[in-house]
Amino acid sequence: RPTPVSADTPHYRALYTVVALWAHDNLLDPANPDPAAYLAARGINAPTIAQDVLGVTRRDPSVLADLLTREHAELLPYAEAAGVLFRDHDGTLVTHPNLCGCLVFPYLADGVVTDLRTRSFPGKGYRSLAGGYTERGATAPFGWDSLDGCDTVIITEGELKALATTQAYRAGRLSMPALAHPGLSYLREEWGPALVARGVHTVILAYDSQPRPVKDGVLQLAPEEIWTIRHGQDLAAAGLTVRALRLPLESDAPKADLDAFLLSHSPARLQQLCDTAPALESYHRSLPRHLLRAARLPDPGDYP
């Protein structure tokens, strides 16, 4: 398929806008109540659905392709590189599988749809569009337009977690919104300086809590612990104050994450945990040295 190129970013974003609005209309269709009911069960309300332009796509791969062909033919030359359409074995343009029968989360930055992420429902699994993020112009974290006037922000992984947190912030029940990046290991180097330029002073890294895995009989740090240190040090190097929030993991629970925590506890309890979250250095020093070495993380003594 065609490879995305940065020069065509405006065309890709125009496509993402068309898809986002089409998917949003689908979600509001009373004849198809299941997607909205699923979001409601995850704690996402109607105002959030509207403000964040959440949507759902059709399972039939011909529907979106037909819409673009009929109403946006000028964008068709860019649809494959944008990750929206692809050619099947007959050479027919159809919707990319990552956009079929799934929830849609538009990434909004300065009022522009810069990317789309999707999620299976009721099953699990987020998906990104095909093609490199940079080449497609997908250069902002999810929730960027919620930052106006905020000096503190939560950073997490997973759009539903950020949505639930920002929803509580908009309702006046939390003092900060949340951003999400599209994968635990994917946090762009320029986001730290961009947050500083936006007036953010403090970031609270709040990834899932889960039991530490055992590999070949040896206990290891959980991936979320590792990336809290790695991302935290990068953000601190950009001039941000970084704190590490590890949600309490109840006995026998497979994990703890932000949206489930908000549903089962309350925004007030999450606010309390945010207010008392340790500084990155303190969190780093709390991790066992032998596990840090095994994960190839720097020694906490490297802090100034």
Side-chain angles (χ1 to χ4, degrees):
R1 68 179 184 84
T3 301
V5 293
S6 298
D8 289 334
T9 291
H11 302 294
Y12 304 152
R13 291 179 173 178
L15 278 162
Y16 301 153
T17 300
V18 170
V19 174
L21 294 175
W22 167 75
H24 185 62
D25 284 345
N26 289 338
L27 185 60
L28 300 181
D29 186 350
N32 182 30
D34 290 348
Y38 172 82
L39 287 172
R42 296 293 301 264
I44 305 303
N45 61 28
T48 295
I49 289 174
Q51 185 164 349
D52 293 279
V53 202
L54 306 186
V56 67
T57 61
R58 303 281 291 276
R59 298 190 184 278
D60 184 342
S62 67
V63 176
L64 177 57
D66 290 345
L67 171 70
L68 293 175
T69 301
R70 184 175 64 252
E71 299 185 16
H72 302 279
E74 76 283 0
L75 296 176
L76 281 179
Y78 309 98
E80 291 179 86
V84 172
L85 303 182
F86 86 118
R87 295 188 182 274
D88 65 12
H89 60 280
D90 293 326
T92 302
L93 276 176
V94 295
T95 308
H96 194 283
N98 286 3
L99 269 174
C100 286
C102 50
L103 297 170
V104 176
F105 302 93
Y107 276 49
L108 300 169
D110 301 320
V112 176
V113 182
T114 61
D115 195 15
L116 302 172
R117 278 262 289 173
T118 65
R119 192 189 193 284
S120 302
F121 79 97
K124 298 181 179 181
Y126 284 100
R127 308 174 218 161
S128 297
L129 298 183
Y133 293 109
T134 300
E135 293 76 12
R136 293 189 292 104
T139 54
F142 182 78
W144 187 252
D145 280 359
S146 300
L147 289 183
D148 288 344
C150 298
D151 61 5
T152 301
V153 64
I154 293 173
I155 296 181
T156 188
E157 182 266 331
E159 289 77 9
L160 278 172
K161 299 165 192 173
L163 279 171
T165 305
T166 298
Q167 179 176 282
Y169 163 74
R170 291 170 179 162
R173 303 185 68 192
L174 273 179
S175 65
M176 73 288 287
L179 299 177
H181 46 96
L184 187 58
S185 63
Y186 186 82
L187 194 148
R188 296 174 68 93
E189 182 179 354
E190 62 267 27
W191 285 348
L195 286 169
V196 172
R198 194 73 179 265
V200 174
H201 301 149
T202 301
V203 296
I204 301 172
L205 295 179
Y207 301 127
D208 292 354
S209 294
Q210 60 180 325
R212 289 172 177 164
V214 176
K215 183 177 180 180
D216 299 327
V218 179
L219 187 69
Q220 299 181 318
L221 291 177
E224 292 81 3
E225 294 176 301
I226 294 171
W227 287 107
T228 293
I229 299 301
R230 290 178 177 168
H231 293 327
Q233 291 194 324
D234 289 341
L235 292 167
L240 290 158
T241 297
V242 182
R243 292 156 62 190
L245 171 60
R246 307 298 298 159
L247 293 171
L249 187 64
E250 298 179 5
S251 59
D252 300 326
K255 70 172 184 174
D257 56 32
L258 282 172
D259 56 329
F261 186 87
L262 282 167
L263 278 176
S264 60
H265 294 83
S266 69
R269 175 60 176 143
L270 179 59
Q271 181 71 57
Q272 181 185 39
L273 291 176
C274 289
D275 292 342
T276 57
L280 178 67
E281 179 179 359
S282 297
Y283 172 72
H284 195 166
R285 292 185 185 281
S286 73
L287 298 175
R289 298 296 189 272
H290 68 286
L291 295 185
L292 289 171
R293 289 192 293 270
R296 298 182 180 179
L297 290 173
D299 187 271
D302 294 341
Y303 287 88

